[in-house]
Amino acid sequence: MSGSGDKTTKTPADFLKSIRGRPVVVKLNSGVDYRGILACLDGYMNIAMEQTEEYVNGQLKNKYGDAFIRGNNVLYISTVKGPLADGA
Amino acid sequence: MASNNPSQLLPSELIDRCIGSKIRVIMKGDKELVGVLKGFDVYVNMVLEDVTEYEITAEGSRVTKLDQILLNGNNIAILVPGGAPEDAE
């Protein structure tokens, strides 16, 4: 179906299982960006996030303690390397 | 016609051959992404790594993302194995 038998293949299902609790960037079809900690998500790409920041045209517009995003709007979900916040 | 021809290449096979290499994803709007293909599913949702995002308008800005992304297959239009917009020119 998808991917070969080789173990370095990561299917979307594998990806979704591995990213809970991690800082992510979610981009919507509209181009708006949301950065926060991924609380949970489902196979429709519906997303629940915490400590969410909303970026429009690269500029921070809003902050939400909790955010729910309906999956049909999601263009991509990206993990982020290293600390999200400007911590020490 | 070609129903008994075993040498036919299915689209999913072509994508499968790209796993582990760079692939260029052209979206429906003015957007392209280039990254290493890690995997995909029946809906052609794709897992890409070390992705660079290109907005193909006016100047064509670039946003480079790290680690891995899950790209929703809904807006994908074309897949180009090995292609990177800059490398081509």
Side-chain angles (χ1 to χ4, degrees), chain A residues 1-4 8-12 15-16 22 27 29 45 71 74-81, chain B residues 16 19 27 31 33 38-42 45-47 50 53 55 65-72 75:
Chain A
M1 192 191 297
S2 61
S4 51
T8 54
T9 302
K10 191 161 208 182
T11 62
F15 180 83
L16 295 180
R22 283 164 66 165
K27 187 153 195 167
N29 293 329
M45 292 200 203
V74 175
L75 178 65
Y76 66 68
I77 304 168
S78 173
T79 53
V80 183
K81 269 204 187 120
Chain B
D16 193 61
I19 291 180
M27 317 289 283
K31 198 191 287 283
L33 287 95
K38 302 301 284 182
F40 66 103
D41 63 11
V42 292
N45 294 319
M46 304 181 76
V47 180
D50 292 336
E53 181 180 355
E55 307 269 351
K65 286 174 309 305
L66 306 169
D67 217 7
Q68 298 193 340
I69 83 166
L70 171 59
L71 180 64
N72 195 331
N75 296 301

Side-chain angles (χ1 to χ4, degrees), chain A residues 26-71:
Chain A
V26 179
K27 187 153 195 167
L28 303 193
N29 293 329
S30 59
V32 181
D33 229 303
Y34 292 87
R35 294 167 191 251
I37 315 288
L38 187 73
C40 56
L41 80 171
D42 63 15
Y44 296 109
M45 292 200 203
N46 293 326
I47 292 168
M49 293 170 71
E50 295 170 343
Q51 297 163 44
T52 308
E53 295 172 337
E54 177 182 76
Y55 290 83
V56 181
N57 291 328
Q59 297 199 324
L60 179 59
K61 282 286 184 139
N62 274 309
K63 287 189 185 184
Y64 306 107
D66 284 308
F68 173 82
I69 302 174
R70 198 176 190 279

